[in-house]
Amino acid sequence: MVIPMIRLIFVGGFVILFLIFSIPIMIAEKIIGKSNPERKSRSSLAIVNWAFRCVRFFAGTKVEYIGEENIPTDTAVLYAGNHRSFFDIVLTYPRVPRPTGYISKKEIEKVPLLNVWMRNLHCLFLDREDAKAGFQTLRDASDLLKNGISVCIFPEGTRNKEDGTLLPCHEGSFRIATKVGCPIIPMTITNSAAVFENQFPRIKKAHVIIEYGKPIETKGISKEEQKQLGAKWQSVVLQTYEKNKELL
């Protein structure tokens, strides 16, 4: 009981201190971005990835990554993952090989300082209550892909609290990829809820497995094939999830 609470204090304390002490870096990144946006993008990625690795260390989380060879490094991709934990982003972001914008819920945009870093990393904020704004966010995500920046989305739309299941996926998630013809990378996250959600508000040591499936190609596919993308993604993720549960 004591150690999980100490982990929570360490993680929370580190995040707060990082956000405060990184203010001068935010200013420097803003200046860099005016003359060299690509350099700003890559430096922000490196800084935040370092912070996420520190969070993982303080949480005592062991992560096993499988299938990273399936991620193309010469083109932007759409990562589509199942969603069980706040830690899903912390554990997946440090492995992206190129700048990647995550799609997050609108409420996160209100968190001071954190929202600045998220914007630096091309993250987008989805308003689930406003359909028009939601469609615009998806269009913005497609524009990122066109400009060589990968995008990560959780098609379930929110964190799923039921182990071994998937919530109905939002088909619009995959139109982000079909609009530009980029590959979809199925991303299966197994056991991430064991870090935090299963014993909220404590943080426990956990073994998490993240597997990247083979790319699902969207370039030139038919309308009928586009309609099957959601079902195809669900099948891959559920099968992989059940397989990897046996490795824990």
Side-chain angles (χ1 to χ4, degrees), residues 144-206:
L144 288 178
L145 291 168
K146 288 178 184 177
N147 291 318
I149 297 167
S150 293
V151 173
C152 181
I153 194 167
F154 299 104
E156 294 170 282
T158 188
R159 284 181 297 114
N160 181 9
K161 299 179 181 179
E162 296 295 327
D163 184 45
T165 67
L166 288 175
L167 298 174
C169 69
H170 296 264
E171 296 293 337
S173 304
F174 303 104
R175 285 199 289 272
I176 297 172
T178 57
K179 188 175 180 180
V180 297
C182 83
I184 297 171
I185 303 296
M187 185 172 66
T188 306
I189 306 169
T190 306
N191 206 41
S192 60
V195 179
F196 183 57
E197 280 73 11
N198 288 354
Q199 63 284 327
F200 178 85
R202 301 181 299 279
I203 292 177
K204 292 181 68 175
K205 291 181 70 173

Side-chain angles (χ1 to χ4, degrees), residues 46-205:
I47 292 165
V48 172
N49 279 348
W50 170 82
F52 281 165
R53 286 193 292 269
C54 290
V55 169
R56 186 179 69 187
F57 171 78
F58 288 127
T61 307
K62 174 188 175 183
V63 187
E64 183 178 351
Y65 297 96
I66 301 173
E68 289 184 280
E69 68 278 3
N70 291 322
I71 305 174
T73 57
D74 59 347
T75 187
V77 302
L78 176 70
Y79 298 94
N82 61 314
H83 195 20
R84 292 292 317 282
S85 173
F86 288 115
F87 275 78
D88 291 339
I89 296 174
V90 173
L91 302 179
T92 58
Y93 213 109
R95 308 301 284 203
V96 298
R98 63 191 300 121
T100 301
Y102 277 57
I103 296 182
S104 180
K105 59 183 180 180
K106 185 73 174 178
E107 291 78 1
I108 302 297
E109 191 176 17
K110 299 176 183 178
V111 181
L113 302 181
L114 176 62
N115 54 13
V116 176
W117 277 115
M118 292 183 73
R119 292 191 194 102
N120 284 351
L121 294 169
H122 310 286
C123 291
L124 300 172
F125 302 95
L126 181 64
D127 188 343
R128 292 174 291 189
E129 304 300 322
D130 187 333
K132 185 177 180 180
F135 284 129
Q136 182 58 52
T137 300
L138 298 181
R139 285 194 291 268
D140 291 342
S142 292
D143 289 340
L144 288 178
L145 291 168
K146 288 178 184 177
N147 291 318
I149 297 167
S150 293
V151 173
C152 181
I153 194 167
F154 299 104
E156 294 170 282
T158 188
R159 284 181 297 114
N160 181 9
K161 299 179 181 179
E162 296 295 327
D163 184 45
T165 67
L166 288 175
L167 298 174
C169 69
H170 296 264
E171 296 293 337
S173 304
F174 303 104
R175 285 199 289 272
I176 297 172
T178 57
K179 188 175 180 180
V180 297
C182 83
I184 297 171
I185 303 296
M187 185 172 66
T188 306
I189 306 169
T190 306
N191 206 41
S192 60
V195 179
F196 183 57
E197 280 73 11
N198 288 354
Q199 63 284 327
F200 178 85
R202 301 181 299 279
I203 292 177
K204 292 181 68 175
K205 291 181 70 173

